[in-house]
Amino acid sequence: MYKMILSDLDETLLVNHHVPKVNQEAIFKAKEKGVKFVPATGRAFNMIGEILQEIDNYQKEDEYSICFNGGLIVENKDAKILSFQGLPFDLAKEMFEMGKNFDVCVMIFTLDCCYIFNADPDEVERKTVQKARFEVIDEYNMDFLKDDHIAKLLYEKRDMDYLKGIEKQIQSHVEGRLAVSYSSYRYLEFNPIGVSKGAALKWLADYLHMDIQETIAIGDNYNDTSMIKAAGLGVCVSSATEDIQAMSNYVTKADYDQGAVAEVIEKFVEGGQMDGL
């Protein structure tokens, strides 16, 4: 039997930044069977409080969240930090200054806030809807963050081909120094080397003395691929790209806004399937 499910949030679990009822009900059934449900997101922990409330994980002992693409692992009760891997200031500043060369919005996440430079109005609206703690900074200078805990930095543009072109141009600067991923078809993300949702899944399974083969990971985008590969059952939603579908053990019939997470729970937790994919 599977004992833990990790789920990406945007374009996987959520619809309009909330957990739809069909997914909530399925999660509650899984939890009744003793299965842990763990959000695994690129978001900050302070951005997911309402989501945790919707799945009844808010301020709960022995319930967990993975944030910043695996850079932060939290026990939800009192936001207890179990693991944090942040970006050194000098490396963050190098990527920040490099962002000047591209037509992108640059965002820096600390443990407490998201700072937005060269702001895209659509991104500001998105952060507002997400109820994120953020500040738009008019001056392109990040020196005020020198003594803060920087979790990650990302470039935002609603053009994936453009972002992929940036990665090719800067590959020599980031290779072996940063973990690079994409999310929400609008972000090119930079985390500390070794940080990924897959690594966080392995860490949490070990922390809970759980066999990783007893875990399910559900996602839709490239920052989810490491956990899709690492989990005992790696799942992607139907709208995922063909290459992500190819690496997944199971592709949902439903899309994220049609209850893809509920489908997985009903098939592999309620139905009890462990093999025969």
Side-chain angles (χ1 to χ4, degrees):
M1 178 178 173
Y2 292 108
K3 296 181 178 179
M4 181 166 66
I5 301 170
L6 269 66
S7 177
D8 174 53
L9 296 185
D10 297 299
E11 293 85 42
T12 301
L13 176 67
L14 306 181
V15 178
N16 296 324
H17 305 290
H18 291 279
V19 184
K21 187 174 181 180
V22 63
N23 287 341
Q24 289 183 34
E25 291 177 347
I27 291 166
F28 296 152
K29 289 179 181 178
K31 291 170 70 174
E32 287 173 1
K33 288 179 170 284
V35 179
K36 291 197 175 300
F37 190 88
V38 179
T41 178
R43 296 189 188 196
F45 185 72
N46 62 19
M47 294 172 62
I48 66 171
E50 191 170 17
I51 295 161
L52 294 178
Q53 290 180 39
E54 291 175 352
I55 61 173
D56 197 30
N57 278 10
Y58 184 72
Q59 282 290 351
K60 294 290 183 71
E61 292 182 354
D62 200 29
E63 297 288 356
Y64 304 90
S65 298
I66 292 170
C67 301
F68 299 132
N69 295 321
L72 176 68
I73 304 174
V74 175
E75 184 174 6
N76 296 340
K77 177 68 173 176
D78 298 327
K80 180 181 177 182
I81 294 176
L82 303 179
S83 174
F84 175 68
Q85 299 179 66
L87 281 175
F89 177 80
D90 290 346
L91 185 52
K93 186 170 183 178
E94 181 180 336
M95 300 311 300
F96 178 77
E97 295 298 335
M98 200 172 294
K100 288 181 180 178
N101 301 321
F102 306 107
D103 180 23
V104 293
C105 167
V106 178
M107 289 187 281
I108 300 175
F109 283 83
T110 67
L111 284 174
D112 301 315
C113 190
C114 170
Y115 298 94
I116 304 178
F117 303 82
N118 190 26
D120 174 356
D122 182 80
E123 187 62 34
V124 172
E125 181 181 355
R126 181 180 172 89
K127 287 290 172 283
T128 301
V129 172
Q130 290 175 336
K131 299 183 179 178
R133 188 178 302 168
F134 72 91
E135 291 184 25
V136 175
I137 308 298
D138 294 327
E139 182 184 4
Y140 200 87
N141 187 319
M142 65 168 288
D143 288 348
F144 68 97
L145 295 174
K146 186 172 180 61
D147 297 320
D148 213 327
H149 293 92
I150 298 173
K152 68 173 184 176
L153 181 147
L154 57 82
Y155 298 161
E156 181 269 339
K157 190 174 181 66
R158 288 164 284 152
D159 184 336
M160 283 298 293
D161 289 337
Y162 186 83
L163 292 177
K164 289 179 179 180
I166 292 176
E167 185 186 6
K168 290 179 181 178
Q169 292 182 59
I170 65 176
Q171 187 172 7
S172 62
H173 294 279
V174 301
E175 192 169 4
R177 303 174 70 213
L178 288 163
V180 182
S181 61
Y182 295 91
S183 66
S184 295
Y185 301 99
R186 64 194 291 147
Y187 302 128
L188 173 57
E189 306 208 18
F190 304 100
N191 279 97
I193 194 74
V195 166
S196 70
K197 292 184 181 182
L201 168 57
K202 292 175 183 177
W203 191 98
L204 187 57
D206 183 65
Y207 180 81
L208 297 174
H209 306 291
M210 190 179 294
D211 189 332
I212 202 165
Q213 291 304 311
E214 298 172 317
T215 66
I216 299 173
I218 313 170
D220 75 295
N221 217 306
Y222 293 103
N223 65 330
D224 302 318
T225 57
S226 61
M227 70 174 182
I228 289 172
K229 292 177 181 177
L233 177 69
V235 178
C236 71
V237 300
S238 62
S239 57
T241 56
E242 290 184 2
D243 51 345
I244 297 176
Q245 291 189 26
M247 70 179 67
S248 301
N249 302 120
Y250 180 74
V251 180
T252 62
K253 295 177 175 61
D255 203 353
Y256 75 95
D257 57 353
Q258 301 167 329
V261 169
E263 176 187 328
V264 175
I265 292 172
E266 289 163 6
K267 184 176 180 67
F268 296 101
V269 177
E270 291 292 299
Q273 291 192 37
M274 286 286 288
D275 51 27
L277 296 178

